[in-house]
Amino acid sequence: MTTAALPRVTVVAAQHRDAVLLVAQQQDAAALGVLCARSDDKEGRAALDRALAEAESRGCRVVHAPRTLTGESGTKEELLRQFLELRPQRLLLPDPDPVRVGYDRSAGVPLHDVPPEQAATALDALAAAREYQHSTGEPVFVDCRRAGADASADAATVVRYPCTTRWLTEGFDGRLSAFLPSAGGVLRWTQDEQGGRAWKGPELLAGPSLMPGLSVLRDQHGFVHLLALRRTPRKDGGEDVAVVKAAQYRAGGPLTPWHSLGSPNPGDRYKSREVGFPAAGFDASGTLFVFARNFGHSLSFRAQGADGRWAPWQHLRGARIADELVTVTTARGGVEVYARARDSTAVVRWHKSGAGGGWTEDRTALSAAPGSLSAGPEPGTLLFRDPHTNEPCVWQPGAVSAVPIGGADGVGPVTGVLGVQAEGWTYSALVRSGPGGSCVVGAHVQGRPDAGVWWNDLGAHSSRMPAMVHDRMGTVTLATVDVRGRLSWTSRLSPNGPFEFGSWHTT
């Protein structure tokens, strides 16, 4: 493959040694370049040279020697000039908001085990990439490496912002929409007509300066809701990070204005920056629950009733958790939330004890690989990867243990849909990333994951996790997106026949 045909990936780091793990994160072939905010010593430069040589052995093409910014006109401005020359399609950045390792109570400031220049470089790169995307119209996808992540961990498990799993959804009018985060904001693709083959997009939706992550959920009426994190400057210096929400009431129509839900730790320039990425779910009454990790590393939530009124943030005491949450809806219509423990692979669950009751914490016997938690297609079920075998597993309410379902060759979470009819049986269908980012689908008899899952690799390499939706017409549609921002989709050939899909179409 020629360099021109390879996806263009740019690593931005504070200095050469900081770029080593980011270069290692690019496992697929790419046209790869490195930009450093400042120079490094001989040892740091040599470490990066070795990392780039290893990347070339994986099929990457290093398009230029590592470049060091001059600092003469500001990091953001210099990065923008470099982006205009290099035209990156994907950015690999450090963590813009590293989690603290301690807290200096006398000074009132958190303590970190990474230099502050790393976060500053990431924020400058995000600002430059946002301006680049707005000025050129070219999508830029961003992955930030979580500070403190294990150097030997798989690339899919070290991202700062959780993988967007349910980014393909059916709207109120039956048309499908796809939503993904980018440097410039939310990208949207829209189906022209229900069940049709024509799509519009990607369209960059107007909105505030969002961090590169997104939660997508659908309410009982078919309206789509988006949640993200927004950074805003403070009058006293620094920046606040808040949870924000917008909704789409008509496929292809404008979003509502982004509404700030604030932070579990408002008013403090340091504490508000550590709000975790939101996870949300609707219960049977129409109440929306939004959860996030707070500064104390425990769980906080805010609820909006069916009448539209928001309750204040509430803190739930209990286990210290990582920034990895997932909500599930039970068969009775209740919302539960799962989180991975802060310093282990243990999974913790919170559930309500009846309507109007308080939240109860359970220390489950489950153990999940980082970055793999997701809601299962069936009510109350949880999907995750075993931390030792990498095999996806299904946990069902009341089960003594989880059920392994094969598929250890892939990475990241697994998601799916229920109620798929096939040759007289009802199945739950699943989708995941396979080797090299391919789209892999599977199915098991609904309610019986122990009966086995038959996985089928459909190809269609995707730079983001593939998505699946089961619409009101009974059609199952799969979608992938490449690093160039091109959406590909395929639909099941028959709503009741074998579980087979047609050819891929690209917008």
Side-chain angles (χ1 to χ4, degrees):
M1 185 181 295
T2 65
T3 301
L6 292 171
R8 299 185 297 274
V9 178
T10 298
V11 168
V12 182
Q15 56 182 351
H16 294 70
R17 68 184 66 236
D18 301 323
V20 170
L21 290 177
L22 295 172
V23 169
Q25 194 168 322
Q26 182 58 41
Q27 290 294 307
D28 299 333
L32 188 62
V34 178
L35 303 175
C36 297
R38 59 188 177 88
S39 188
D40 205 343
D41 57 24
K42 183 178 180 180
E43 182 179 344
R45 293 194 299 271
L48 178 54
D49 288 342
R50 291 192 296 270
L52 290 171
E54 292 172 2
E56 288 190 314
S57 72
R58 298 193 296 270
C60 291
R61 308 281 178 84
V62 178
V63 296
H64 61 79
R67 298 178 182 176
T68 302
L69 307 183
T70 65
E72 294 176 355
S73 57
T75 302
K76 173 193 166 185
E77 290 72 19
E78 285 196 66
L79 285 170
L80 178 57
R81 286 199 295 271
Q82 293 287 343
F83 293 163
L84 289 169
E85 175 189 340
L86 299 172
R87 298 170 55 223
Q89 296 164 326
R90 182 187 184 206
L91 290 179
L92 298 178
L93 307 179
D95 193 335
D97 286 306
V99 174
R100 75 186 190 285
V101 295
Y103 191 73
D104 185 336
R105 295 188 178 277
S106 60
V109 297
L111 304 175
H112 300 94
D113 58 359
V114 294
E117 305 85 60
Q118 294 190 21
T121 300
L123 292 172
D124 284 334
L126 283 170
R130 187 176 297 118
E131 189 168 333
Y132 167 82
Q133 185 170 339
H134 286 169
S135 64
T136 65
E138 298 180 7
V140 181
F141 295 107
V142 181
D143 288 310
C144 300
R145 184 181 178 88
R146 179 165 41 83
D150 189 340
S152 62
D154 188 278
T157 70
V158 300
V159 291
R160 173 65 175 83
Y161 302 99
C163 178
T164 307
T165 56
R166 298 184 181 273
W167 52 271
L168 180 67
T169 185
E170 181 184 17
F172 176 79
D173 63 357
R175 288 188 292 160
L176 304 183
S177 297
F179 301 88
L180 281 172
S182 71
V186 176
L187 295 174
R188 179 178 68 184
W189 295 259
T190 306
Q191 193 177 36
D192 278 358
E193 60 182 25
Q194 185 177 357
R197 291 190 175 186
W199 288 68
K200 289 187 176 73
E203 172 190 8
L204 182 62
L205 300 179
S209 299
L210 304 177
M211 304 307 287
L214 191 68
S215 290
V216 183
L217 67 157
R218 185 175 180 267
D219 66 21
Q220 300 95 320
H221 307 291
F223 302 137
V224 182
H225 300 259
L226 310 178
L227 288 106
L229 292 178
R230 178 178 66 192
R231 181 182 298 274
T232 55
R234 294 172 57 94
K235 293 181 180 179
D236 60 351
E239 294 177 306
D240 281 327
V241 178
V243 178
V244 291
K245 176 185 173 295
Q248 172 185 278
Y249 294 115
R250 179 175 61 84
L255 289 183
T256 65
W258 288 87
H259 170 65
S260 175
L261 306 186
S263 162
N265 303 101
D268 186 295
R269 60 183 293 186
Y270 299 109
K271 291 184 178 181
S272 72
R273 281 187 61 179
E274 282 203 27
V275 59
F277 201 81
F282 286 95
D283 70 9
S285 72
T287 298
L288 171 63
F289 292 92
V290 178
F291 302 90
R293 186 208 61 198
N294 57 42
F295 181 76
H297 290 276
S298 56
L299 185 66
S300 293
F301 78 96
R302 196 173 180 194
Q304 182 187 36
D307 59 2
R309 296 181 182 180
W310 284 96
W313 284 99
Q314 299 181 49
H315 303 300
L316 299 179
R317 299 181 182 275
R320 296 296 181 258
I321 59 173
D323 188 12
E324 185 177 349
L325 310 177
V326 62
T327 61
V328 302
T329 303
T330 68
R332 294 184 176 181
V335 172
E336 300 180 348
V337 61
Y338 291 82
R340 190 172 54 80
R342 179 185 180 185
D343 299 315
S344 73
T345 57
V347 177
V348 187
R349 168 182 174 244
W350 284 265
H351 61 96
K352 294 193 73 173
S353 53
W359 290 88
T360 300
E361 174 195 317
D362 289 337
R363 305 292 179 98
T364 75
L366 306 177
S367 185
S372 68
L373 289 180
S374 65
E378 298 168 34
T381 59
L382 184 73
L383 289 164
F384 60 92
R385 288 184 180 271
D386 185 281
H388 305 292
T389 66
N390 195 49
E391 185 175 9
C393 300
V394 179
W395 184 82
Q396 297 173 298
V400 176
S401 61
V403 178
I405 55 174
D409 56 334
V411 295
V414 180
T415 188
V417 297
L418 79 166
V420 177
Q421 302 297 316
E423 300 178 316
W425 293 81
T426 302
Y427 289 86
S428 289
L430 304 172
V431 64
R432 61 177 175 84
S433 290
S438 61
C439 176
V440 181
V441 298
H444 64 76
V445 176
Q446 190 164 302
R448 291 293 311 275
D450 56 312
V453 175
W454 297 267
W455 294 106
N456 184 21
D457 193 327
L458 301 184
H461 176 88
S462 184
S463 64
R464 310 285 100 175
M465 178 181 165
M468 175 185 284
V469 68
H470 186 201
D471 65 27
R472 66 189 66 177
M473 298 172 64
T475 303
V476 176
T477 300
L478 299 167
T480 66
V481 66
D482 66 17
V483 74
R484 296 173 175 84
R486 298 178 301 187
L487 183 79
S488 295
W489 62 271
T490 181
S491 293
R492 190 175 168 213
L493 291 173
S494 167
N496 299 296
F499 194 61
E500 297 175 349
F501 291 82
S503 58
W504 289 91
H505 307 274
T506 299
T507 61

